[in-house]
Amino acid sequence: MHVIGGTASTALAERISRELGNAPFGIPFVKRFPDGEMYIRIGGRLEGDDVVVVQSTPSDPALLELLLLEDAVHEAGARRTFVVVPYFGYARQDRRFFPGEPVSARSLSRHVELDADAVITVDLHSPTTLGHFTKPAFEASGIPALARLLRERPIDLLVSPDKGGIERVRRMAQLLDRPWFALEKRRIDSDKVELSLPPDVPAFAGKHVALIDDVITTGGTIVEAAKLLKRHGVGATSVACTHGLFLRDAFERIKAVTDEVYSTDTLENPAEKASVAPDIAQILLRELASK
Ligand code: R5P
């Protein structure tokens, strides 16, 4: 078996190769042609082997690199290709909100699975995206990785910034054996949200609270949540998310109003302290053994 790490996921791919018993690991050579088109090339002998390609798709070049990588692996004669997309871009457009729009999540699922025997991803925006794949597709959770990290911290209480995250915070609460609650959120636009405390929340004044989210993009949600908790006397605030996109100055703005910021390594960023490699490897090992 071989593991190939695209440029958006090199470190995580190497961690996955270690979890798979130090499977041979490689990275592609990537350059641009003079007209701007992407050129990639992979090394190593892959004929008849199982190959794991790891590449998050937070940007269009990363997505294009993944598609080219899959084709290169196919051309190299791989027996089976397992495509790991730790952060699956375009998953937020998971339905047609207005006439004339695409269902981007479906379109990308179809393209990504084209040269794959199976696809593995982590904490999709919506579980419906898994249903768009026609080949085996699996979703790992970032929660166990974050729980392994938060278990070492003196956290008293867990909070989801919105009701959509209830299942996530509930799972974390079970793993850490802590109480939890969810804030009420109203999105004003893509950069602005309004948050409020629901009635009957557990007392948290002076306590250490961890805000749990699946993705941090502009940071608007977490900054507002941290400010709300502060106004009500929270003692300390940690932030933990699966996917840390941290657009523009999001990381600095969050750091300014919280005490600790953690993410998993589905995306490379300054907060990536919890690895999903063991959770992805567990699925890979099961699927590799199944056929
Ligand atoms: C919302 O449904 C998600 O769980 C995140 O809370 C949200 O997408 C974060 O976005 P931002 O960082 O831009 O507020």
Side-chain angles (χ1 to χ4, degrees), residues 14-291:
E14 198 167 6
R15 287 178 200 125
I16 291 173
S17 80
R18 284 201 293 272
E19 293 287 335
L20 296 175
N22 290 322
F25 166 72
I27 57 172
F29 171 71
V30 183
K31 70 164 190 173
R32 293 276 176 180
F33 286 110
D35 60 2
E37 289 186 356
M38 187 180 287
Y39 169 91
I40 71 144
R41 188 169 176 199
I42 54 173
R45 296 179 62 84
L46 305 180
E47 295 98 324
D49 265 353
D50 288 329
V51 178
V52 178
V53 175
V54 186
Q55 170 79 331
S56 279
T57 57
S59 66
D60 293 353
L63 174 63
L64 180 61
E65 184 186 324
L66 173 63
L67 300 179
L68 297 179
L69 268 175
E70 289 184 43
D71 197 72
V73 168
H74 176 75
E75 277 297 309
R79 185 168 84 99
R80 291 182 296 180
T81 306
F82 295 85
V83 174
V84 178
V85 192
Y87 173 77
F88 199 95
Y90 286 90
R92 269 179 271 215
Q93 180 81 14
D94 55 358
R95 62 192 170 94
R96 184 166 49 80
F97 297 91
F98 296 103
E101 291 179 346
V103 180
S104 309
R106 180 182 60 207
S107 172
L108 270 294
S109 304
R110 287 175 180 169
H111 286 88
V112 165
E113 74 173 7
L114 197 64
D115 281 311
D117 291 275
V119 178
I120 296 158
T121 184
V122 184
D123 283 352
L124 283 163
H125 177 68
S126 150
T128 57
T129 301
L130 273 192
H132 295 315
F133 291 95
T134 61
K135 294 181 180 168
F138 308 96
E139 184 185 19
S141 167
I143 292 298
L146 294 170
R148 291 192 284 272
L149 181 82
L150 294 184
R151 196 168 281 137
E152 308 301 319
R153 314 288 310 129
I155 308 285
D156 299 308
L157 194 67
L158 302 162
V159 174
S160 168
D162 56 40
K163 300 260 185 266
I166 281 183
E167 276 317 309
R168 198 173 304 123
V169 73
R170 205 201 302 268
R171 183 160 179 208
M172 181 71 94
Q174 269 166 3
L175 291 172
L176 300 184
D177 192 20
R178 294 282 182 280
W180 65 273
F181 67 89
L183 299 175
E184 282 168 4
K185 172 162 119 178
R186 197 164 73 88
R187 188 164 276 287
I188 312 295
D189 59 38
S190 58
D191 280 285
K192 205 167 172 351
V193 293
E194 262 178 21
L195 295 171
S196 55
L197 284 177
D200 304 327
V201 294
F204 62 84
K207 301 222 163 127
H208 189 150
V209 167
L211 282 161
I212 310 296
D213 212 344
D214 57 344
V215 56
I216 296 179
T217 311
T218 65
T221 301
I222 288 297
V223 166
E224 286 309 309
K227 285 182 178 169
L228 176 69
L229 297 177
K230 222 168 218 174
R231 283 200 298 277
H232 288 82
V234 74
T237 308
S238 298
V239 175
C241 69
T242 301
H243 308 298
L245 279 162
F246 300 118
L247 297 189
R248 305 188 289 271
D249 58 350
F251 187 67
E252 287 69 32
R253 288 193 300 112
I254 294 170
K255 288 267 286 184
V257 292
T258 62
D259 299 277
E260 309 169 319
V261 189
Y262 302 120
S263 84
T264 75
D265 52 359
T266 59
L267 291 164
E268 292 176 359
N269 66 54
E272 111 193 43
K273 299 279 189 313
S275 184
V276 290
D279 312 278
I280 290 173
Q282 197 181 358
I283 297 174
L284 281 167
L285 287 168
R286 187 190 68 207
E287 291 307 301
L288 283 158
S290 73
K291 291 169 206 160

